[in-house]
Amino acid sequence: MKQPQKIFLSADIEGTCGISHWDETDPTKPDNAYFARQMTREVAAACQGAIDGGVQELLVRDAHHDARNIDPSGLPRGARVLRGWARDPHMMVSGLDSSFDGVFFTGYHSCAGSDANPLAHTMTNAAFLVTINGEAVSELFINCLTAATMGVPVLLVTGDEGLCQSIQAVNPHIRTVPVNRGMGDATLSLFHPDEAVDRIREAAQAAVSAAFANPSAFLYPLPNRFDVEITYRKHADAARCGHYPGARKTGPRSVLFETADYAEALRFMHFCL
């Protein structure tokens, strides 16, 4: 079996240890500075764990807000960073392709409609709920399906407890590090920030080692078809997106797009989320 040599890492912030308010996610607000540093530390820990496990190449995708949150100087040598938005349908996993041996997701959060994180949303706060085949989906779910279409296994997820439980329910082989627990409009950090960093590094190294032994065990299951329904907070958004080719309104605030091609599902979400 091939030793994992090349890892892709997509980093968000709403699942960073201790985060609890939208101002802490916004680079234009003073409350963001600390959490951007913690986001960088958690990404660096995952990169270092991968390197300790023998990975030779890492591509880090800054995938939050303006995609210019991570301090590249805080990452270990060997990690490259993709910053800014390429404006393609792969969105938070732009740059991922079948040449990668695995993907990590750090700082991720629960989906729109979930109570597991006060910052829960799916791609945009304009969406009240996003479902695929009737199941409420997170950004993680969307991006895991993208990885699945490329045959790239999902090795590591860090973020809120609810999200980690949801990914384990789909594939228990995927390593997770829950760092926060949602409590109404609050979060309880499950560890000291330094301990969260240590746990992420250890989990990343363990994930790489496990993937070396059995990479297929980490593959995310891919459905045969994709019925994507978006329920918006405002009916005007549904009126607009109901005109997307192949989509149809299913209610005053809901639009449905049905396809057997996940690339087309991604294209719909790219323009309508």
Side-chain angles (χ1 to χ4, degrees):
M1 278 166 282
K2 176 173 171 279
Q3 167 71 34
Q5 297 290 319
K6 190 176 178 182
I7 294 294
F8 184 95
L9 188 155
S10 176
D12 206 353
I13 202 171
E14 289 92 353
T16 299
C17 185
I19 202 161
S20 64
H21 192 277
W22 289 111
D23 285 359
E24 296 166 345
T25 75
D26 187 342
T28 68
K29 302 291 178 64
D31 290 352
N32 172 255
Y34 164 79
F35 287 98
R37 288 195 297 273
Q38 182 64 19
M39 176 187 183
T40 299
R41 294 180 68 211
E42 293 180 13
V43 170
C47 290
Q48 189 59 57
I51 291 169
D52 292 346
V55 168
Q56 301 296 314
E57 184 177 346
L58 294 132
L59 176 58
V60 174
R61 173 75 178 106
D62 191 325
H64 171 68
H65 200 271
D66 58 5
R68 294 185 289 120
N69 309 273
I70 296 167
D71 177 0
S73 69
L75 304 184
R77 292 187 179 218
R80 297 178 297 138
V81 185
L82 176 57
R83 303 172 75 237
W85 292 105
R87 303 299 180 187
D88 64 80
H90 288 164
M91 298 177 284
M92 298 177 76
V93 289
S94 291
L96 179 65
D97 59 38
S98 60
S99 70
F100 286 89
D101 300 303
V103 59
F104 291 173
F105 296 99
T106 62
Y108 268 63
H109 54 83
S110 289
C111 67
S114 169
D115 63 356
N117 189 327
L119 307 177
H121 65 283
T122 301
M123 301 308 296
T124 170
N125 283 326
F128 176 76
L129 185 67
V130 182
T131 66
I132 296 180
N133 300 339
E135 179 181 352
V137 297
S138 62
E139 295 164 8
L140 175 66
F141 185 102
I142 293 168
N143 296 331
C144 284
L145 290 181
T146 302
T149 65
M150 301 173 183
V152 180
V154 178
L155 306 187
L156 174 71
V157 172
T158 79
D160 66 63
E161 187 175 57
L163 181 80
C164 291
Q165 290 172 348
S166 71
I167 193 77
Q168 284 267 293
V170 175
N171 185 340
H173 294 282
I174 297 170
R175 296 297 199 274
T176 63
V177 183
V179 297
N180 295 327
R181 177 180 299 143
M183 299 173 63
D185 200 28
T187 55
L188 172 66
S189 59
L190 299 180
F191 311 107
H192 184 280
D194 291 345
E195 184 177 355
V197 166
D198 290 344
R199 285 174 178 258
I200 290 170
R201 178 182 51 76
E202 292 164 1
Q205 183 173 358
V208 168
S209 298
F212 172 62
N214 188 10
S216 63
F218 291 81
L219 288 171
Y220 200 82
L222 192 65
N224 293 324
R225 64 173 296 103
F226 309 92
D227 298 343
V228 185
E229 187 167 32
I230 304 172
T231 301
Y232 298 95
R233 296 184 186 277
K234 297 181 179 179
H235 63 80
D237 289 329
R240 175 178 59 85
C241 293
H243 292 287
Y244 183 88
R248 59 184 172 88
K249 288 183 65 179
T250 54
R253 296 185 295 123
S254 300
V255 174
L256 176 67
F257 180 80
E258 300 167 299
T259 180
D261 184 350
Y262 192 59
E264 290 303 320
L266 282 175
R267 195 189 314 275
F268 167 68
M269 289 186 281
H270 181 56
F271 285 99
C272 293
L273 270 179

